Amino acid sequence: MSTSPEFRRIISAQSFLQPAWLTATVSGVAASLMLAFLLLDAGALAWLLVQASEPSSIRNGLLPLSEQLQNHVAGSIFARMINAVRLLHSDTSAAAVLISAGAILWVFRSVLRSFAGAVVERRTAELILRLRQHIHRKAIRLEPADLTGEQTRSADRLFQIATLSLEKAASDWGKIWITVLPDLIVAVLIALMTNWRLALQTMIPVVIGRMVLRLEMQRRDASLRLLSEQVDRGLSRMAEGLKKTRIVTSFGMEQKEQQQFESHLGEYQQRCRVMQKQQSLGRGIRNAILLVAIVVPAAILAARILNGDHASIGVMIGCCLIVLFSGLGRTDSCAALATEGSEKAEEIAAYINRIPGVSQAPGAGFLQPMSKTLTFNQISFQTPQLPGLLRGLDLRIGFGETVALLSLQPASARAVASMIPRFLDPDLGQVLIDGRDIRQATLESLRAEAIFVGGQDPVFNATVLENITCGQSDISRQQALDAAKLVHADHFIRTLPKGYETMLGEHGSAMDAGQIFRLSLARAIVRSPALLIIEEPPTSLDAETKAMLDDAYQRISSGRTVIFLPHRLSTVKKCSRIVLIHEGRVAVDGVHDQMVRTSELYRHWEYVRFNPFREESELGS
């Protein structure tokens, strides 16, 4: 069985030799030792019962067995134990002791196996927790813009589903190895020490039968998968006929269509019958292999007992064979678990090892607040999902302007806005602030002066005040209150149960979209950025919230450059400048009153976004 290096970093056979896994290893080995004693106990009990059934036998418990074991290398230890325990010198007390000892050993074995499994689960969970930390850290470092949402979905899927699958596969794999492998070794050793010739004669057909059964199961599964795909395709082909009802009836093709359907139906039924035969054949072959694997060793044991070997030897070796057969059966799933775990581990490792698209350049310097111009020079950008999103875009924005950045493809405008705080970098071209390439500035100084307020930014699991200050000690409580008042957030904050000390987030007070957006505005304004990018919430807002936002926009636009990604037409109309991007370039640049008269493209954008009858019109077209 082959496993990837990433899966082996989580768990491997070598892991159980490491100190962190030592308690699991010791518990697994101890549980297997309990199995050894159980097998010996079963053999002794069988010997005692056989002896008791013979009328001529002397009722001295296990003492006669002790005499037989004196000359056996490993049996001498067991013989001394029998001689030392007086309760084993009579049949009744010996049977009671053996049965009681077997029950106690079974309980101890179950406890030890459970403990070993719990240690494996706990240790695996700790390692998976570290992977989740790496995923979280990498998700923050990768491009925050996430134009298509693919990065967020990928990180979420890895964080929740992939890590959970990896944890289960690794822990199940580990529990099998720590409990089954020692049991197999113990069973083989006990059988060989009991009668090595008889053990080999019976174990060989068991092992071969188990291997043949595994190969047959793999062959059957592959065959059934292929047949199942053919059956599904046949069913889909017949279902396609349901989409042709109108043209079939219109052109009088009922008879031909019915004939074709009957032909496909016949093929479908034939494949179903073949699949059923394959399933029946597979069950028959499986049962035959199992029968051979059971009957051949049983026949060998029966023949040896009839030829004079004691029945207890047959019981001992028979129990060992049962352990061997069931243990090999459990190891069959190890390959599938290792394959599944390796796939998930490689997928997670590929994500963690990704190089961020945005990084700070060596020797980057402090960026002064924007005071003159923001320039986009020959910007080109695309993603695998959005080819040719920006193609040589040129744009110049002066300080103090309020600009509505629009595009028919929403990702185009968002990509341009996201390049300002370097949430992503262009493939070609430069973004300049006051003539300086922002890639030569430190990320900290850039993002302190160019803040992006998202329309769907969530709140932190913290107090209202901490949501505004983000825990920064250089922002005073009074500054936070002033920022909240500026964006009309102070009033609703004071109505919360504990005002600015109210907890928000998963287990805190809930707020509507308009309140969360105003809180996000306050978080940005308290830092007094020279350049503010505001993406409006896509959800509908009530009239009062809209009025407060219009007033807040007017207040915060003084003395800084504001770029809007608007979702309200009123915001677009109030901007001093409107820039519409189409086919990767600036297509229209002006003000609303002018553009609505002269630009067909702008009128189309306005219709697509805001015409209340557009959906009804589209349905009728």
Side-chain angles (χ1 to χ4, degrees):
M1 135 192 17
S2 61
T3 56
S4 69
E6 288 75 19
F7 183 75
R8 290 196 292 272
R9 290 191 185 99
I10 302 296
I11 194 169
S12 65
Q14 290 75 22
S15 299
F16 298 110
L17 302 177
Q18 299 173 3
W21 298 83
L22 195 57
T23 52
T25 305
V26 172
S27 299
V29 172
S32 296
L33 290 177
M34 295 296 106
L35 174 64
F37 289 123
L38 272 169
L39 292 172
L40 293 173
D41 185 272
L45 185 60
W47 184 92
L48 184 64
L49 293 174
V50 171
Q51 289 295 110
S53 65
E54 296 179 1
S56 60
S57 64
I58 301 173
R59 304 304 174 89
N60 289 333
L62 297 179
L63 284 175
L65 177 62
S66 172
E67 296 174 0
Q68 296 177 17
L69 294 175
Q70 289 290 346
N71 299 324
H72 196 283
V73 178
S76 59
I77 301 173
F78 196 50
R80 287 196 295 269
M81 186 187 302
I82 294 172
N83 293 330
V85 180
R86 296 184 61 84
L87 290 174
L88 300 177
H89 298 172
S90 69
D91 290 359
T92 304
S93 59
V97 169
L98 291 174
I99 293 172
S100 301
I104 294 171
L105 289 169
W106 183 266
V107 170
F108 271 104
R109 172 175 161 78
S110 299
V111 171
L112 288 169
R113 284 168 65 91
S114 298
F115 180 75
V119 172
V120 171
E121 288 180 352
R122 183 172 67 250
R123 179 60 182 159
T124 305
E126 291 171 358
L127 295 172
I128 296 300
L129 183 62
R130 293 180 189 174
L131 279 183
R132 290 193 175 108
Q133 291 173 336
H134 288 310
I135 293 171
H136 182 267
R137 192 178 299 116
K138 178 60 69 170
I140 293 174
R141 291 186 61 198
L142 292 175
E143 300 93 330
D146 195 14
L147 299 177
T148 62
E150 180 60 31
Q151 290 181 27
T152 301
R153 289 190 294 271
S154 176
D156 181 70
R157 180 174 52 79
L158 292 174
F159 190 84
Q160 295 192 67
I161 300 173
T163 52
L164 195 62
S165 297
L166 175 58
E167 181 178 352
K168 187 176 187 309
S171 62
D172 288 349
W173 187 93
K175 283 187 286 187
I176 290 174
W177 274 92
I178 201 62
T179 57
V180 174
L181 185 60
D183 283 358
L184 292 176
I185 295 172
V186 163
V188 171
L189 290 177
I190 293 292
L192 291 174
M193 285 189 298
T194 302
N195 187 318
W196 67 270
R197 289 188 179 88
L198 182 57
L200 289 177
Q201 289 172 358
T202 53
M203 282 192 296
I204 289 174
V206 168
V207 173
I208 292 176
R210 191 73 247 186
M211 293 173 60
V212 172
L213 181 61
R214 178 187 301 175
L215 294 174
E216 169 57 25
M217 295 286 285
Q218 293 174 350
R219 184 206 65 79
R220 187 201 66 176
D221 291 344
S223 176
L224 287 178
R225 276 196 301 270
L226 180 61
L227 285 170
S228 179
E229 291 173 0
Q230 293 176 350
V231 168
D232 290 341
R233 284 198 298 268
L235 197 61
S236 299
R237 189 185 304 165
M238 288 189 291
E240 285 293 323
L242 300 176
K243 303 175 183 178
K244 305 174 185 177
T245 305
R246 180 174 57 82
I247 59 173
V248 167
T249 55
S250 298
F251 295 95
M253 297 177 63
E254 291 90 343
Q255 185 176 357
K256 183 176 180 180
E257 182 65 21
Q258 186 64 29
Q259 290 174 349
Q260 191 175 42
F261 175 79
E262 294 292 343
S263 174
H264 291 161
L265 183 61
E267 293 175 3
Y268 172 76
Q269 290 175 329
Q270 183 179 0
R271 290 195 181 99
C272 287
R273 284 193 293 269
V274 171
M275 188 165 68
Q276 290 170 353
K277 289 179 181 178
Q278 285 283 350
Q279 290 174 329
S280 299
L281 179 62
R283 284 193 294 268
I285 295 174
R286 178 176 177 271
N287 292 335
I289 295 171
L290 285 172
L291 186 63
V292 170
I294 294 171
V295 169
V296 172
I300 295 172
L301 288 175
R304 291 298 297 269
I305 292 171
L306 292 173
N307 288 332
D309 283 352
H310 201 281
S312 60
I313 295 177
V315 171
M316 286 276 288
I317 294 181
C319 290
C320 292
L321 294 178
I322 292 172
V323 173
L324 181 64
F325 189 81
S326 62
L328 290 174
R330 289 195 63 192
T331 58
D332 286 348
S333 61
C334 280
L337 290 171
T339 301
E340 180 186 359
S342 296
E343 290 175 357
K344 300 302 180 184
E346 289 175 355
E347 189 178 359
I348 292 170
Y351 180 81
I352 292 174
N353 294 330
R354 280 180 58 188
I355 299 174
V358 174
S359 59
Q360 186 163 290
F366 183 83
L367 179 71
Q368 295 294 334
M370 175 182 168
S371 60
K372 297 178 182 177
T373 57
L374 167 67
T375 305
F376 296 87
N377 182 22
Q378 288 293 296
I379 298 296
S380 294
F381 179 79
Q382 63 180 356
T383 69
Q385 299 83 10
L386 301 168
L389 191 64
L390 300 174
R391 305 174 183 177
L393 178 140
D394 287 311
L395 178 62
R396 186 182 180 90
I397 298 173
F399 178 76
E401 286 189 291
T402 56
V403 179
L405 196 59
L406 318 176
S407 60
L408 289 173
Q409 163 55 275
S412 298
R414 204 171 199 276
V416 172
S418 298
M419 289 177 185
I420 302 171
R422 288 196 68 200
F423 291 159
L424 54 84
D425 281 340
D427 298 330
L428 297 171
Q430 295 175 300
V431 181
L432 310 170
I433 291 182
D434 294 341
R436 182 180 179 184
D437 192 330
I438 61 174
R439 282 177 288 199
Q440 301 304 316
T442 63
L443 290 173
E444 182 180 4
S445 63
L446 171 64
R447 291 172 182 174
E449 295 299 334
I451 294 181
F452 192 113
V453 179
Q456 294 179 302
D457 285 347
V459 295
F460 298 113
N461 294 322
T463 65
V464 174
L465 183 62
E466 289 170 336
N467 265 274
I468 297 175
T469 64
C470 294
Q472 295 181 5
S473 58
D474 58 334
I475 300 176
S476 67
R477 179 184 179 88
Q478 188 57 49
Q479 288 175 314
L481 267 62
D482 291 342
K485 291 175 181 177
L486 188 66
V487 297
H488 296 291
D490 180 72
H491 176 70
F492 83 79
I493 291 173
R494 293 187 183 278
T495 63
L496 297 174
K498 295 183 180 179
Y500 282 84
E501 301 304 321
T502 302
M503 285 295 299
L504 303 178
E506 183 179 356
H507 301 293
S509 296
M511 298 190 301
D512 61 41
Q515 292 171 336
I516 294 175
F517 182 60
R518 281 178 281 161
L519 193 65
S520 299
L521 288 174
R523 183 188 298 129
I525 293 302
V526 76
R527 289 160 175 76
S528 301
L531 203 161
L532 189 60
I533 305 108
I534 300 176
E535 179 186 42
E536 290 192 304
T539 55
S540 59
L541 305 173
D542 58 73
E544 183 182 4
T545 300
K546 292 177 181 178
M548 285 189 289
L549 285 178
D550 288 340
D551 184 64
Y553 292 160
Q554 186 176 356
R555 293 183 181 191
I556 65 179
S557 296
S558 176
R560 63 170 53 91
T561 304
V562 182
I563 297 174
F564 286 97
L565 298 176
H567 282 277
R568 295 192 300 136
L569 188 57
S570 61
T571 302
V572 177
K573 292 179 178 179
K574 291 178 181 178
C575 288
S576 61
R577 183 179 173 191
I578 300 171
V579 175
L580 177 59
I581 300 170
H582 183 56
E583 294 183 347
R585 296 182 178 88
V586 175
V588 184
D589 189 345
V591 294
H592 174 77
D593 292 340
Q594 171 198 359
M595 291 165 58
V596 79
R597 293 193 305 270
T598 60
S599 173
E600 183 178 352
L601 185 63
Y602 179 75
R603 289 196 300 271
H604 174 68
W605 175 87
E606 183 182 355
Y607 172 81
V608 169
R609 293 293 185 278
F610 301 109
N611 191 303
F613 303 106
R614 66 187 183 281
E615 294 181 1
E616 181 179 330
S617 175
E618 289 166 0
L619 288 173
S621 61

